Amino acid sequence: MKIALLGYGKMGKAIEKIALSRGHEIVLRKTSANNYDGLEKADVAIDFSIPNAAVRNITACFDTNVAVVCGTTGWLAQYEEMATLCALKNGTFIYGSNFSLGVNLFFEMNKYLAKLMSKFDQYKVRMEEIHHTQKLDSPSGTAITLANDIIGHSSYSNWTIGDAKEDEIHIEAKRIENVPGTHTVVYDSEIDAIEIKHTAHNREGFALGAVIAAEWIAGKKGVFTMKDVLELN
């Protein structure tokens, strides 16, 4: 399979290493210093760029009839616009706030726990996410997905990084050097606490998941998620 890398930072290089080890070819390494020459040769593009480049990259893929897997976070205010454009262009699109196989299983655990805990209002939920200091968005897209999944299965109505009201989930975002990603969900009461946690040891899990998604999406049309890829629906 021919892959275009849209964004060639640490994640782009990690994806390249795994893609090559699985027999794929890289036809474009897109950075701010070059253009989209070579994108038309790709079967799939994988976007791990920066928030203000993601929409432009995704649009270029739709215009070139190239399937796109996007793991860039911080641009989701325009997600529905991109999903609509995908349908208009008969394109192929997967967005994931996190492509790690373990994190996607963690998402399912989080939703199940939220359903259980919704009956016990003596527990107040809070979250913590820790990432490396180069991460541009805060809180992380993964933390936002976790919070929104709790909101969808409970009486909480919103999340915040500030002081939380009774119906809000507080997310504490920390930036520490060389931390790939740690996410913790805590249900706390005066008597005890229940906690689930996912800790990434390196970037390889994110990179592998993105390549697996690219392999899965090749030849398909429509808008998909990692739940489709992992058959978690």
Side-chain angles (χ1 to χ4, degrees), residues 2 19 21 28 36 39 90 101 109 132 140 148-149 170 172 174 185 200 203 213-214 222 225 229:
K2 295 180 179 180
S21 74
L28 171 63
Y36 293 103
L39 179 59
N90 192 31
L101 306 185
M109 293 171 58
H132 50 85
S140 68
N148 286 337
D149 284 343
H170 174 68
E172 183 174 5
K174 298 179 179 179
V185 179
R203 290 183 175 85
T225 70
V229 177

Side-chain angles (χ1 to χ4, degrees), residues 1-189:
M1 187 169 65
K2 295 180 179 180
I3 297 175
L5 297 176
L6 307 181
Y8 195 56
K10 292 179 180 178
M11 270 302 300
K13 291 179 173 67
I15 290 167
E16 177 181 46
K17 182 179 178 181
I18 288 175
L20 292 175
S21 74
R22 294 170 73 91
H24 303 305
E25 178 186 354
I26 307 301
V27 296
L28 171 63
R29 297 166 179 85
K30 177 75 175 71
T31 69
S32 59
N34 62 0
N35 56 30
Y36 293 103
D37 287 349
L39 179 59
E40 71 283 353
K41 300 176 184 176
D43 300 304
V44 180
I46 302 178
D47 177 272
F48 274 83
S49 55
I50 56 177
N52 63 10
V55 169
R56 184 168 63 252
N57 289 343
I58 295 164
T59 301
C61 291
F62 294 156
D63 288 342
T64 319
N65 195 30
V66 173
V68 56
V69 173
C70 179
T72 304
T73 57
W75 63 275
L76 284 191
Q78 293 175 272
Y79 174 82
E80 292 302 329
E81 178 186 339
M82 290 297 98
T84 300
L85 184 61
C86 179
L88 183 66
K89 296 279 190 174
N90 192 31
T92 310
F93 180 40
I94 287 183
Y95 165 76
S97 60
N98 196 309
F99 280 91
S100 160
L101 306 185
V103 165
N104 280 276
L105 294 172
F106 188 65
F107 286 155
E108 298 306 304
M109 293 171 58
N110 175 60
K111 283 186 280 191
Y112 183 69
L113 182 58
K115 292 176 187 177
L116 289 178
M117 299 305 294
S118 65
K119 302 173 185 177
F120 304 96
D121 57 10
Q122 64 266 44
Y123 288 91
K124 176 71 175 176
V125 68
R126 57 183 169 84
M127 294 172 49
E128 178 187 85
E129 61 98 341
I130 309 172
H131 280 87
H132 50 85
T133 53
Q134 290 78 38
K135 186 166 180 60
L136 297 179
D137 54 321
S138 177
S140 68
T142 301
I144 293 171
T145 297
L146 290 164
N148 286 337
D149 284 343
I150 294 170
I151 290 166
H153 295 91
S154 69
S155 61
Y156 289 97
S157 64
N158 200 5
W159 59 265
T160 180
I161 57 174
D163 293 333
K165 298 176 183 177
E166 188 63 29
D167 64 341
E168 292 182 325
I169 301 167
H170 174 68
I171 303 175
E172 183 174 5
K174 298 179 179 179
R175 297 293 173 262
I176 300 173
E177 195 69 33
N178 298 322
V179 177
T182 301
H183 294 86
T184 307
V185 179
V186 181
Y187 289 84
D188 209 356
S189 77

